[in-house]
Amino acid sequence: MDEKSNKLLLALVMLFLFAVIVLQYVCPGTECQLLRLQAFSSPMPDPYRSEDESSARFVPRYNFSRGDLLRKVDFDIKGDDLIVFLHIQKTGGTTFGRHLVRNIQLEQPCECRVGQKKCTCHRPGKRETWLFSRFSTGWSCGLHADWTELTSCVPAVVDGKRDARLRPSRNFHYITILRDPVSRYLSEWRHVQRGATWKASLHVCDGRPPTSEELPSCYTGDDWSGCPLKEFMDCPYNLANNRQVRMLSDLTLVGCYNLSVMPEKQRNKVLLESAKSNLKHMAFFGLTEFQRKTQYLFEKTFNMNFISPFTQYNTTRASSVEINEEIQKRIEGLNFLDMELYSYAKDLFLQRYQFMRQKEHQEARRKRQEQRKFLKGRFLQTHFQSQSQGQNQNLSQNPSQNPNPNVNQNVTQNMTQNLTQSSGQNSSLKENQESQKQNPGQEPGDGHTSPGTSDYMGSVEKWR
Protein backbone atom coordinates (compact mmCIF):
# COMPACT_ATOMS: atom_id res chain seq x y z
CA MET A 1 0.00 0.00 0.00
CA ASP A 2 2.82 2.40 0.90
CA GLU A 3 4.62 1.58 -2.34
CA LYS A 4 1.53 2.40 -4.42
CA SER A 5 1.05 5.70 -2.53
CA ASN A 6 4.65 6.68 -3.17
CA LYS A 7 4.30 5.88 -6.87
CA LEU A 8 1.09 7.92 -7.10
CA LEU A 9 2.70 10.86 -5.33
CA LEU A 10 5.72 10.66 -7.62
CA ALA A 11 3.46 10.60 -10.68
CA LEU A 12 1.61 13.71 -9.49
CA VAL A 13 4.88 15.56 -8.87
CA MET A 14 6.19 14.62 -12.31
CA LEU A 15 2.92 15.74 -13.90
CA PHE A 16 3.10 19.10 -12.12
CA LEU A 17 6.70 19.66 -13.22
CA PHE A 18 5.77 18.79 -16.79
CA ALA A 19 2.89 21.28 -16.73
CA VAL A 20 5.24 24.01 -15.47
CA ILE A 21 7.72 23.26 -18.26
CA VAL A 22 4.95 23.37 -20.87
CA LEU A 23 3.70 26.70 -19.48
CA GLN A 24 7.19 28.19 -19.62
CA TYR A 25 7.59 26.96 -23.18
CA VAL A 26 4.22 28.27 -24.37
CA CYS A 27 4.31 31.58 -22.49
CA PRO A 28 7.83 32.60 -21.50
CA GLY A 29 7.22 36.38 -21.40
CA THR A 30 6.67 38.71 -18.49
CA GLU A 31 3.01 39.18 -19.42
CA CYS A 32 2.23 35.57 -18.61
CA GLN A 33 4.25 35.77 -15.42
CA LEU A 34 2.01 38.65 -14.36
CA LEU A 35 -1.03 36.56 -15.24
CA ARG A 36 0.25 33.70 -13.09
CA LEU A 37 0.86 36.05 -10.17
CA GLN A 38 -2.35 37.99 -10.62
CA ALA A 39 -4.27 35.93 -8.09
CA PHE A 40 -1.63 36.61 -5.42
CA SER A 41 -0.95 40.28 -6.06
CA SER A 42 -2.89 43.51 -5.72
CA PRO A 43 -4.08 45.21 -8.92
CA MET A 44 -1.51 47.56 -10.49
CA PRO A 45 -2.49 51.23 -10.82
CA ASP A 46 -3.33 52.41 -14.32
CA PRO A 47 -0.56 54.84 -15.40
CA TYR A 48 -2.96 56.57 -17.81
CA ARG A 49 -5.64 57.29 -15.21
CA SER A 50 -6.67 60.85 -14.29
CA GLU A 51 -3.67 62.71 -15.69
CA ASP A 52 -5.49 66.01 -15.47
CA GLU A 53 -6.44 65.41 -11.81
CA SER A 54 -10.12 65.20 -12.77
CA SER A 55 -12.57 62.36 -12.46
CA ALA A 56 -11.46 59.22 -14.28
CA ARG A 57 -15.03 58.62 -15.41
CA PHE A 58 -15.47 60.08 -18.87
CA VAL A 59 -18.89 60.83 -20.38
CA PRO A 60 -18.75 61.35 -24.18
CA ARG A 61 -20.55 64.32 -25.71
CA TYR A 62 -20.12 63.57 -29.41
CA ASN A 63 -21.11 60.53 -31.44
CA PHE A 64 -18.15 59.25 -33.44
CA SER A 65 -18.14 56.26 -35.75
CA ARG A 66 -15.87 53.25 -35.33
CA GLY A 67 -13.79 54.54 -38.24
CA ASP A 68 -13.28 57.85 -36.41
CA LEU A 69 -12.12 56.09 -33.25
CA LEU A 70 -9.95 53.34 -34.73
CA ARG A 71 -6.67 54.93 -35.77
CA LYS A 72 -4.31 52.33 -37.17
CA VAL A 73 -1.77 53.54 -39.72
CA ASP A 74 0.06 50.98 -41.82
CA PHE A 75 3.27 53.01 -41.66
CA ASP A 76 6.22 51.30 -43.30
CA ILE A 77 9.34 53.22 -42.37
CA LYS A 78 11.21 51.41 -45.16
CA GLY A 79 8.68 52.53 -47.78
CA ASP A 80 7.79 56.00 -49.06
CA ASP A 81 5.24 57.25 -46.50
CA LEU A 82 6.05 60.34 -44.46
CA ILE A 83 5.04 61.58 -40.99
CA VAL A 84 4.45 65.35 -41.04
CA PHE A 85 4.39 67.16 -37.68
CA LEU A 86 2.26 70.33 -37.60
CA HIS A 87 3.81 72.28 -34.73
CA ILE A 88 1.46 74.83 -33.13
CA GLN A 89 3.14 77.39 -30.87
CA LYS A 90 3.13 76.78 -27.11
CA THR A 91 1.40 73.40 -27.15
CA GLY A 92 4.37 71.35 -25.95
CA GLY A 93 5.34 70.62 -29.54
CA THR A 94 9.05 71.10 -28.86
CA THR A 95 9.03 68.35 -26.24
CA PHE A 96 7.00 66.03 -28.48
CA GLY A 97 9.25 66.81 -31.45
CA ARG A 98 12.30 65.73 -29.44
CA HIS A 99 10.53 62.51 -28.52
CA LEU A 100 10.11 61.78 -32.24
CA VAL A 101 13.83 62.04 -33.03
CA ARG A 102 15.41 60.84 -29.78
CA ASN A 103 13.00 58.53 -27.98
CA ILE A 104 11.60 56.04 -30.51
CA GLN A 105 12.83 52.45 -30.82
CA LEU A 106 13.98 52.18 -34.43
CA GLU A 107 16.02 49.75 -36.49
CA GLN A 108 18.04 52.78 -37.59
CA PRO A 109 17.70 55.51 -34.93
CA CYS A 110 17.91 59.18 -35.82
CA GLU A 111 21.45 60.50 -35.72
CA CYS A 112 21.55 63.49 -33.36
CA ARG A 113 24.86 65.28 -32.90
CA VAL A 114 25.80 67.35 -29.88
CA GLY A 115 25.25 71.06 -30.40
CA GLN A 116 22.93 70.63 -33.39
CA LYS A 117 19.17 71.03 -33.19
CA LYS A 118 18.38 68.94 -36.26
CA CYS A 119 18.80 65.18 -36.40
CA THR A 120 19.20 62.91 -39.43
CA CYS A 121 16.27 60.51 -39.55
CA HIS A 122 16.89 58.25 -42.55
CA ARG A 123 14.96 55.15 -43.52
CA PRO A 124 16.86 51.87 -43.07
CA GLY A 125 19.10 51.42 -46.12
CA LYS A 126 18.07 54.75 -47.70
CA ARG A 127 19.32 58.33 -47.57
CA GLU A 128 15.77 59.64 -47.28
CA THR A 129 13.88 60.94 -44.25
CA TRP A 130 10.69 59.37 -42.86
CA LEU A 131 9.89 62.41 -40.66
CA PHE A 132 9.09 66.00 -41.66
CA SER A 133 9.47 68.13 -38.55
CA ARG A 134 11.43 70.94 -36.97
CA PHE A 135 14.07 68.61 -35.54
CA SER A 136 14.54 66.51 -38.69
CA THR A 137 14.06 68.71 -41.77
CA GLY A 138 13.95 72.10 -40.05
CA TRP A 139 11.42 74.80 -40.91
CA SER A 140 11.43 73.83 -44.60
CA CYS A 141 7.94 75.29 -45.19
CA GLY A 142 8.37 78.31 -42.94
CA LEU A 143 8.43 78.89 -39.20
CA HIS A 144 5.48 77.07 -37.58
CA ALA A 145 3.80 76.38 -40.92
CA ASP A 146 0.07 75.74 -40.63
CA TRP A 147 -2.14 73.12 -42.33
CA THR A 148 -2.73 75.31 -45.39
CA GLU A 149 1.02 75.80 -45.91
CA LEU A 150 2.14 72.24 -45.17
CA THR A 151 -0.36 70.48 -47.44
CA SER A 152 0.82 72.53 -50.42
CA CYS A 153 4.50 72.77 -49.48
CA VAL A 154 5.59 69.34 -48.18
CA PRO A 155 5.08 67.35 -51.42
CA ALA A 156 7.01 69.97 -53.37
CA VAL A 157 9.87 70.02 -50.84
CA VAL A 158 10.17 66.23 -50.64
CA ASP A 159 9.82 65.40 -54.35
CA GLY A 160 10.33 68.78 -56.01
CA LYS A 161 13.60 67.81 -57.67
CA ARG A 162 12.17 64.62 -59.20
CA ASP A 163 10.32 64.27 -62.43
CA ALA A 164 6.57 64.06 -61.80
CA ARG A 165 6.47 60.63 -63.46
CA LEU A 166 9.19 59.31 -61.15
CA ARG A 167 7.70 60.54 -57.89
CA PRO A 168 6.55 57.72 -55.57
CA SER A 169 2.95 57.48 -54.45
CA ARG A 170 3.35 58.68 -50.87
CA ASN A 171 0.97 58.84 -47.95
CA PHE A 172 1.47 61.96 -45.83
CA HIS A 173 0.47 61.20 -42.23
CA TYR A 174 -0.17 64.53 -40.47
CA ILE A 175 0.12 64.73 -36.69
CA THR A 176 -0.17 67.58 -34.18
CA ILE A 177 -0.51 68.47 -30.49
CA LEU A 178 -3.27 70.67 -28.98
CA ARG A 179 -3.45 72.44 -25.63
CA ASP A 180 -6.05 74.03 -23.38
CA PRO A 181 -6.67 77.42 -25.07
CA VAL A 182 -6.36 79.61 -21.96
CA SER A 183 -3.09 77.98 -20.87
CA ARG A 184 -1.73 78.14 -24.42
CA TYR A 185 -2.69 81.83 -24.78
CA LEU A 186 -1.00 82.81 -21.51
CA SER A 187 2.09 80.82 -22.44
CA GLU A 188 2.33 82.62 -25.79
CA TRP A 189 1.95 85.98 -24.06
CA ARG A 190 4.81 85.15 -21.70
CA HIS A 191 6.90 84.03 -24.66
CA VAL A 192 6.23 87.30 -26.53
CA GLN A 193 7.12 89.20 -23.37
CA ARG A 194 10.57 87.59 -23.55
CA GLY A 195 11.06 88.82 -27.14
CA ALA A 196 9.54 86.13 -29.39
CA THR A 197 8.11 87.48 -32.66
CA TRP A 198 7.92 84.57 -35.17
CA LYS A 199 8.72 87.09 -37.91
CA ALA A 200 10.07 84.25 -40.05
CA SER A 201 6.58 82.77 -40.39
CA LEU A 202 5.49 83.02 -44.03
CA HIS A 203 1.69 82.62 -43.70
CA VAL A 204 1.56 81.60 -47.35
CA CYS A 205 -1.99 80.99 -48.55
CA ASP A 206 -3.19 80.48 -52.09
CA GLY A 207 0.35 80.92 -53.37
CA ARG A 208 1.19 84.22 -51.65
CA PRO A 209 1.82 85.73 -48.19
CA PRO A 210 -0.68 88.24 -46.77
CA THR A 211 -0.23 91.95 -47.35
CA SER A 212 0.39 94.39 -44.51
CA GLU A 213 -3.21 95.57 -44.87
CA GLU A 214 -4.54 92.03 -44.55
CA LEU A 215 -2.31 91.21 -41.57
CA PRO A 216 -1.22 94.36 -39.68
CA SER A 217 1.38 94.15 -36.90
CA CYS A 218 0.49 94.60 -33.25
CA TYR A 219 3.74 96.46 -32.42
CA THR A 220 5.99 99.03 -34.09
CA GLY A 221 9.42 98.10 -32.78
CA ASP A 222 11.63 95.09 -33.39
CA ASP A 223 9.60 92.99 -31.00
CA TRP A 224 6.86 93.15 -28.38
CA SER A 225 8.96 92.36 -25.34
CA GLY A 226 7.63 93.54 -21.99
CA CYS A 227 4.08 93.66 -23.38
CA PRO A 228 1.41 93.80 -20.62
CA LEU A 229 -1.35 91.19 -20.79
CA LYS A 230 -4.04 93.85 -21.36
CA GLU A 231 -2.18 95.25 -24.38
CA PHE A 232 -1.68 91.73 -25.70
CA MET A 233 -5.42 91.07 -25.46
CA ASP A 234 -6.43 94.42 -26.95
CA CYS A 235 -4.71 93.96 -30.33
CA PRO A 236 -7.43 92.88 -32.82
CA TYR A 237 -4.83 91.47 -35.26
CA ASN A 238 -3.11 89.28 -32.72
CA LEU A 239 -2.62 85.84 -34.30
CA ALA A 240 -2.59 84.32 -30.81
CA ASN A 241 -6.38 84.65 -30.82
CA ASN A 242 -7.90 81.34 -31.96
CA ARG A 243 -4.49 80.25 -33.21
CA GLN A 244 -5.23 76.53 -33.08
CA VAL A 245 -8.34 76.80 -35.28
CA ARG A 246 -6.55 79.03 -37.79
CA MET A 247 -3.52 76.72 -38.03
CA LEU A 248 -5.63 73.56 -38.48
CA SER A 249 -8.19 74.87 -40.97
CA ASP A 250 -8.03 75.32 -44.73
CA LEU A 251 -7.68 79.09 -45.06
CA THR A 252 -8.37 79.03 -48.79
CA LEU A 253 -12.02 78.32 -47.94
CA VAL A 254 -12.39 81.80 -46.42
CA GLY A 255 -10.18 83.85 -48.75
CA CYS A 256 -7.02 83.40 -46.63
CA TYR A 257 -6.34 86.58 -44.61
CA ASN A 258 -8.74 88.79 -46.58
CA LEU A 259 -11.49 89.47 -44.07
CA SER A 260 -13.74 91.15 -46.62
CA VAL A 261 -14.49 87.95 -48.55
CA MET A 262 -17.37 86.89 -46.28
CA PRO A 263 -19.12 87.99 -43.10
CA GLU A 264 -17.26 87.34 -39.85
CA LYS A 265 -19.88 84.95 -38.48
CA GLN A 266 -19.83 82.82 -41.61
CA ARG A 267 -16.02 82.93 -41.70
CA ASN A 268 -15.77 81.69 -38.13
CA LYS A 269 -18.19 78.84 -38.79
CA VAL A 270 -16.29 77.70 -41.90
CA LEU A 271 -12.94 77.88 -40.10
CA LEU A 272 -14.18 75.88 -37.10
CA GLU A 273 -15.77 73.14 -39.20
CA SER A 274 -12.67 72.89 -41.39
CA ALA A 275 -10.40 72.62 -38.35
CA LYS A 276 -12.58 69.90 -36.80
CA SER A 277 -12.64 67.92 -40.03
CA ASN A 278 -8.89 68.16 -40.60
CA LEU A 279 -8.18 67.22 -37.01
CA LYS A 280 -10.50 64.20 -37.11
CA HIS A 281 -8.94 62.89 -40.32
CA MET A 282 -5.33 63.40 -39.21
CA ALA A 283 -3.41 60.21 -38.57
CA PHE A 284 -2.86 61.28 -34.95
CA PHE A 285 -3.17 64.16 -32.53
CA GLY A 286 -2.30 64.41 -28.86
CA LEU A 287 -3.16 66.70 -25.96
CA THR A 288 -0.61 68.46 -23.78
CA GLU A 289 -2.72 67.75 -20.69
CA PHE A 290 -2.59 63.95 -21.31
CA GLN A 291 1.04 63.05 -21.94
CA ARG A 292 0.84 59.32 -21.19
CA LYS A 293 -2.36 58.87 -23.17
CA THR A 294 -0.74 60.79 -26.03
CA GLN A 295 2.19 58.39 -25.94
CA TYR A 296 -0.12 55.37 -25.83
CA LEU A 297 -2.26 56.46 -28.79
CA PHE A 298 0.78 57.34 -30.92
CA GLU A 299 2.32 53.92 -30.26
CA LYS A 300 -0.92 52.12 -31.13
CA THR A 301 -1.50 54.26 -34.23
CA PHE A 302 1.92 53.87 -35.82
CA ASN A 303 3.05 50.62 -34.18
CA MET A 304 6.17 52.43 -32.95
CA ASN A 305 7.26 52.33 -29.31
CA PHE A 306 8.99 55.01 -27.27
CA ILE A 307 12.00 54.13 -25.15
CA SER A 308 11.16 56.27 -22.11
CA PRO A 309 7.66 57.19 -20.90
CA PHE A 310 6.35 60.72 -21.35
CA THR A 311 6.30 62.98 -18.30
CA GLN A 312 3.26 64.99 -17.26
CA TYR A 313 4.29 68.47 -16.11
CA ASN A 314 1.54 70.08 -14.05
CA THR A 315 3.55 73.25 -13.42
CA THR A 316 4.36 75.54 -16.37
CA ARG A 317 5.03 79.22 -16.94
CA ALA A 318 1.39 79.68 -17.87
CA SER A 319 0.20 78.00 -14.67
CA SER A 320 2.27 80.44 -12.61
CA VAL A 321 0.30 83.40 -14.02
CA GLU A 322 -2.43 84.44 -11.60
CA ILE A 323 -5.52 85.82 -13.32
CA ASN A 324 -8.93 86.70 -11.96
CA GLU A 325 -12.23 85.40 -13.26
CA GLU A 326 -12.80 88.48 -15.42
CA ILE A 327 -9.52 88.00 -17.32
CA GLN A 328 -10.24 84.29 -17.58
CA LYS A 329 -13.56 85.04 -19.27
CA ARG A 330 -11.91 87.64 -21.52
CA ILE A 331 -9.30 85.15 -22.75
CA GLU A 332 -11.98 82.51 -23.33
CA GLY A 333 -13.98 85.03 -25.34
CA LEU A 334 -10.97 85.95 -27.49
CA ASN A 335 -10.40 82.24 -28.14
CA PHE A 336 -14.01 81.08 -28.40
CA LEU A 337 -13.26 79.07 -31.56
CA ASP A 338 -10.29 77.40 -29.90
CA MET A 339 -12.44 76.64 -26.86
CA GLU A 340 -14.98 74.85 -29.07
CA LEU A 341 -12.26 73.02 -31.01
CA TYR A 342 -10.49 71.89 -27.84
CA SER A 343 -13.72 70.56 -26.34
CA TYR A 344 -14.32 68.59 -29.54
CA ALA A 345 -10.70 67.38 -29.66
CA LYS A 346 -10.68 66.30 -26.02
CA ASP A 347 -13.87 64.30 -26.44
CA LEU A 348 -12.53 62.57 -29.57
CA PHE A 349 -9.14 61.98 -27.95
CA LEU A 350 -10.57 60.34 -24.83
CA GLN A 351 -13.04 58.26 -26.84
CA ARG A 352 -10.18 57.01 -29.00
CA TYR A 353 -8.17 56.16 -25.93
CA GLN A 354 -11.12 54.34 -24.36
CA PHE A 355 -11.81 52.45 -27.60
CA MET A 356 -8.18 51.36 -28.02
CA ARG A 357 -7.91 50.23 -24.40
CA GLN A 358 -11.09 48.14 -24.68
CA LYS A 359 -9.82 46.66 -27.92
CA GLU A 360 -6.52 45.82 -26.23
CA HIS A 361 -8.29 44.17 -23.27
CA GLN A 362 -10.47 42.10 -25.60
CA GLU A 363 -7.41 40.91 -27.50
CA ALA A 364 -5.63 40.03 -24.27
CA ARG A 365 -8.73 38.11 -23.08
CA ARG A 366 -8.85 36.19 -26.37
CA LYS A 367 -5.17 35.24 -26.07
CA ARG A 368 -5.69 34.04 -22.48
CA GLN A 369 -8.59 31.85 -23.59
CA GLU A 370 -6.49 30.35 -26.38
CA GLN A 371 -3.67 29.68 -23.92
CA ARG A 372 -6.07 27.97 -21.51
CA LYS A 373 -7.42 25.75 -24.30
CA PHE A 374 -3.92 24.84 -25.41
CA LEU A 375 -2.72 24.07 -21.87
CA LYS A 376 -5.87 22.04 -21.16
CA GLY A 377 -5.29 19.97 -24.30
CA ARG A 378 -1.64 19.39 -23.42
CA PHE A 379 -2.63 18.46 -19.87
CA LEU A 380 -5.19 15.89 -21.03
CA GLN A 381 -2.74 14.46 -23.54
CA THR A 382 -0.07 14.16 -20.87
CA HIS A 383 -2.57 12.64 -18.43
CA PHE A 384 -3.62 9.89 -20.87
CA GLN A 385 0.00 9.17 -21.79
CA SER A 386 0.96 8.83 -18.15
CA GLN A 387 -2.00 6.51 -17.53
CA SER A 388 -1.07 4.24 -20.45
CA GLN A 389 2.56 4.21 -19.34
CA GLY A 390 1.45 3.28 -15.81
CA GLN A 391 -0.64 0.36 -17.14
CA ASN A 392 2.28 -0.93 -19.20
CA GLN A 393 4.54 -0.71 -16.18
CA ASN A 394 2.02 -2.69 -14.10
CA LEU A 395 1.85 -5.40 -16.76
CA SER A 396 5.64 -5.67 -16.92
CA GLN A 397 5.96 -5.77 -13.11
CA ASN A 398 3.34 -8.62 -12.71
CA PRO A 399 4.57 -11.58 -14.86
CA SER A 400 2.18 -13.99 -13.09
CA GLN A 401 -0.79 -12.10 -14.49
CA ASN A 402 0.85 -11.69 -17.87
CA PRO A 403 3.78 -14.11 -18.36
CA ASN A 404 4.37 -12.92 -21.87
CA PRO A 405 4.77 -9.10 -22.18
CA ASN A 406 3.60 -9.29 -25.78
CA VAL A 407 0.82 -11.77 -25.12
CA ASN A 408 -1.95 -9.46 -26.22
CA GLN A 409 -0.21 -8.66 -29.43
CA ASN A 410 0.74 -12.32 -30.08
CA VAL A 411 -2.76 -13.56 -29.35
CA THR A 412 -4.22 -11.05 -31.76
CA GLN A 413 -1.71 -11.93 -34.44
CA ASN A 414 -2.22 -15.73 -33.97
CA MET A 415 -6.00 -15.37 -34.04
CA THR A 416 -5.79 -13.37 -37.26
CA GLN A 417 -3.46 -15.94 -38.85
CA ASN A 418 -5.68 -18.86 -37.75
CA LEU A 419 -8.76 -17.19 -39.14
CA THR A 420 -7.00 -16.56 -42.44
CA GLN A 421 -5.70 -20.16 -42.65
CA SER A 422 -9.05 -21.62 -41.65
CA SER A 423 -10.76 -19.63 -44.37
CA GLY A 424 -8.38 -21.07 -46.96
CA GLN A 425 -8.63 -24.60 -45.58
CA ASN A 426 -12.41 -24.41 -45.47
CA SER A 427 -12.55 -23.54 -49.15
CA SER A 428 -10.18 -26.43 -49.93
CA LEU A 429 -12.37 -28.81 -47.92
CA LYS A 430 -15.42 -27.86 -49.94
CA GLU A 431 -13.54 -28.44 -53.19
CA ASN A 432 -12.37 -31.91 -51.99
CA GLN A 433 -15.87 -32.87 -50.99
CA GLU A 434 -17.18 -31.95 -54.41
CA SER A 435 -14.38 -33.89 -56.09
CA GLN A 436 -15.13 -36.93 -53.90
CA LYS A 437 -18.75 -36.78 -55.01
CA GLN A 438 -17.56 -36.82 -58.57
CA ASN A 439 -14.94 -39.61 -57.82
CA PRO A 440 -16.39 -41.74 -55.01
CA GLY A 441 -13.66 -44.35 -55.17
CA GLN A 442 -10.77 -42.00 -54.68
CA GLU A 443 -8.98 -42.11 -51.31
CA PRO A 444 -7.82 -39.02 -49.58
CA GLY A 445 -4.13 -38.49 -50.10
CA ASP A 446 -1.53 -35.73 -49.97
CA GLY A 447 -2.92 -32.27 -50.29
CA HIS A 448 -6.39 -33.39 -48.98
CA THR A 449 -7.90 -32.68 -45.57
CA SER A 450 -8.07 -35.48 -43.00
CA PRO A 451 -11.25 -36.22 -41.01
CA GLY A 452 -9.69 -34.79 -37.82
CA THR A 453 -8.75 -31.64 -39.61
CA SER A 454 -12.24 -31.42 -41.08
CA ASP A 455 -13.77 -31.67 -37.63
CA TYR A 456 -11.43 -28.93 -36.41
CA MET A 457 -12.24 -26.70 -39.36
CA GLY A 458 -15.95 -27.24 -38.82
CA SER A 459 -15.64 -26.13 -35.22
CA VAL A 460 -13.67 -23.06 -36.28
CA GLU A 461 -16.27 -22.25 -38.93
CA LYS A 462 -19.01 -22.59 -36.34
CA TRP A 463 -17.00 -20.29 -34.00
CA ARG A 464 -16.64 -17.74 -36.78
Side-chain angles (χ1 to χ4, degrees):
M1 185 66 181
D2 292 339
E3 185 178 357
K4 289 184 178 180
S5 300
N6 293 335
K7 289 181 179 179
L8 180 60
L9 182 61
L10 180 61
L12 292 175
V13 171
M14 294 296 292
L15 183 62
F16 174 76
L17 292 176
F18 181 79
V20 171
I21 294 173
V22 170
L23 185 61
Q24 290 289 341
Y25 174 77
V26 173
C27 190
T30 56
E31 180 181 355
C32 294
Q33 293 177 9
L34 292 175
L35 289 175
R36 290 192 290 270
L37 296 175
Q38 188 175 7
F40 305 100
S41 60
S42 58
M44 298 179 63
D46 188 349
Y48 307 105
R49 194 178 181 88
S50 299
E51 286 179 296
D52 60 348
E53 298 181 357
S54 63
S55 174
R57 188 172 184 82
F58 165 65
V59 180
R61 292 178 51 198
Y62 298 88
N63 293 323
F64 295 105
S65 66
R66 177 183 173 87
D68 296 333
L69 300 180
L70 179 60
R71 309 307 287 172
K72 191 73 174 177
V73 175
D74 186 16
F75 178 71
D76 183 9
I77 196 172
K78 298 180 181 179
D80 297 313
D81 296 350
L82 196 70
I83 294 178
V84 182
F85 179 34
L86 195 163
H87 185 173
I88 302 175
Q89 290 95 315
K90 313 313 295 178
T91 58
T94 299
T95 301
F96 184 76
R98 290 197 179 103
H99 280 303
L100 293 177
V101 298
R102 297 176 181 271
N103 193 28
I104 296 184
Q105 297 177 2
L106 297 172
E107 178 183 342
Q108 181 177 325
C110 297
E111 182 181 348
C112 302
R113 297 181 180 179
V114 180
Q116 294 184 359
K117 289 185 177 181
K118 291 197 302 181
C119 302
T120 303
C121 299
H122 284 162
R123 307 179 192 274
K126 295 183 180 180
R127 297 187 61 81
E128 181 182 83
T129 187
W130 56 269
L131 175 65
F132 195 97
S133 73
R134 169 189 179 184
F135 292 114
S136 57
T137 56
W139 302 113
S140 301
C141 292
L143 180 63
H144 289 285
D146 55 30
W147 191 90
T148 306
E149 293 176 288
L150 288 176
T151 51
S152 60
C153 169
V154 172
V157 170
V158 175
D159 296 317
K161 297 180 180 179
R162 300 187 185 184
D163 189 286
R165 294 170 298 178
L166 301 177
R167 294 178 183 177
S169 178
R170 299 182 187 274
N171 292 317
F172 296 97
H173 302 296
Y174 286 86
I175 63 176
T176 192
I177 301 293
L178 297 183
R179 186 179 181 183
D180 170 74
V182 175
S183 299
R184 199 213 64 78
Y185 189 85
L186 290 172
S187 181
E188 181 167 343
W189 165 63
R190 293 294 299 270
H191 199 55
V192 168
Q193 267 194 329
R194 297 191 299 270
T197 61
W198 296 297
K199 285 182 178 180
S201 298
L202 302 177
H203 304 300
V204 174
C205 177
D206 224 357
R208 67 174 182 84
T211 63
S212 58
E213 289 78 15
E214 292 174 334
L215 189 60
S217 177
C218 287
Y219 54 92
T220 56
D222 293 333
D223 56 38
W224 209 2
S225 35
C227 166
L229 178 58
K230 185 179 184 306
E231 183 180 341
F232 190 78
M233 293 188 296
D234 287 343
C235 178
Y237 315 110
N238 193 346
L239 291 179
N241 300 340
N242 294 312
R243 180 181 289 278
Q244 296 180 100
V245 167
R246 179 181 59 81
M247 292 190 66
L248 289 174
S249 61
D250 184 0
L251 296 178
T252 61
L253 299 176
V254 294
C256 300
Y257 294 90
N258 187 356
L259 303 182
S260 63
V261 171
M262 63 180 66
E264 181 181 1
K265 186 175 182 180
Q266 182 183 356
R267 176 186 174 89
N268 291 336
K269 181 180 179 181
V270 173
L271 287 175
L272 180 59
E273 292 304 316
S274 176
K276 286 182 177 181
S277 177
N278 291 336
L279 185 71
K280 183 174 68 174
H281 292 99
M282 278 185 172
F284 162 82
F285 73 88
L287 299 181
T288 307
E289 289 74 24
F290 299 92
Q291 289 292 312
R292 296 297 297 276
K293 292 182 176 69
T294 295
Q295 174 185 354
Y296 173 83
L297 286 178
F298 181 90
E299 292 177 340
K300 295 301 179 182
T301 300
F302 288 97
N303 195 26
M304 302 170 74
N305 296 321
F306 290 98
I307 301 171
S308 302
F310 288 13
T311 303
Q312 184 69 50
Y313 295 104
N314 294 322
T315 302
T316 61
R317 288 190 177 96
S319 65
S320 63
V321 178
E322 296 183 1
I323 57 174
N324 55 35
E325 186 177 354
E326 181 182 356
I327 296 178
Q328 171 87 14
K329 295 295 183 182
R330 175 89 187 276
I331 295 175
E332 291 177 358
L334 291 171
N335 294 273
F336 69 100
L337 295 178
D338 274 10
M339 294 294 293
E340 177 65 25
L341 176 66
Y342 185 79
S343 175
Y344 174 88
K346 183 177 179 180
D347 195 276
L348 176 57
F349 177 86
L350 292 178
Q351 284 197 52
R352 282 180 177 174
Y353 168 77
Q354 224 174 42
F355 180 83
M356 293 300 293
R357 290 284 282 180
Q358 290 175 357
K359 191 170 180 292
E360 185 181 37
H361 292 159
Q362 291 172 358
E363 183 66 19
R365 190 181 303 113
R366 184 187 64 80
K367 289 182 178 180
R368 287 196 299 268
Q369 291 174 352
E370 290 180 354
Q371 290 171 0
R372 292 192 190 101
K373 289 181 180 179
F374 176 79
L375 293 176
K376 183 178 180 180
R378 293 297 299 268
F379 172 78
L380 293 176
Q381 182 181 2
T382 306
H383 178 68
F384 291 141
Q385 288 178 353
S386 62
Q387 278 189 341
S388 61
Q389 290 176 0
Q391 292 176 357
N392 292 335
Q393 290 178 357
N394 291 334
L395 291 175
S396 62
Q397 292 176 1
N398 296 288
S400 58
Q401 297 179 3
N402 186 16
N404 187 359
N406 300 322
V407 64
N408 293 331
Q409 182 178 358
N410 294 338
V411 169
T412 303
Q413 291 178 353
N414 292 337
M415 182 64 68
T416 304
Q417 292 176 0
N418 290 336
L419 292 176
T420 304
Q421 293 175 0
S422 64
S423 176
Q425 291 173 356
N426 190 35
S427 61
S428 300
L429 178 60
K430 290 181 179 180
E431 292 177 358
N432 292 336
Q433 290 176 352
E434 292 179 358
S435 62
Q436 286 180 2
K437 290 180 181 179
Q438 295 176 1
N439 302 307
Q442 186 176 355
E443 294 291 333
D446 294 338
H448 298 280
T449 308
S450 63
T453 305
S454 300
D455 295 338
Y456 171 76
M457 292 304 299
S459 63
V460 171
E461 183 67 16
K462 185 183 297 184
W463 177 80
R464 291 180 62 189

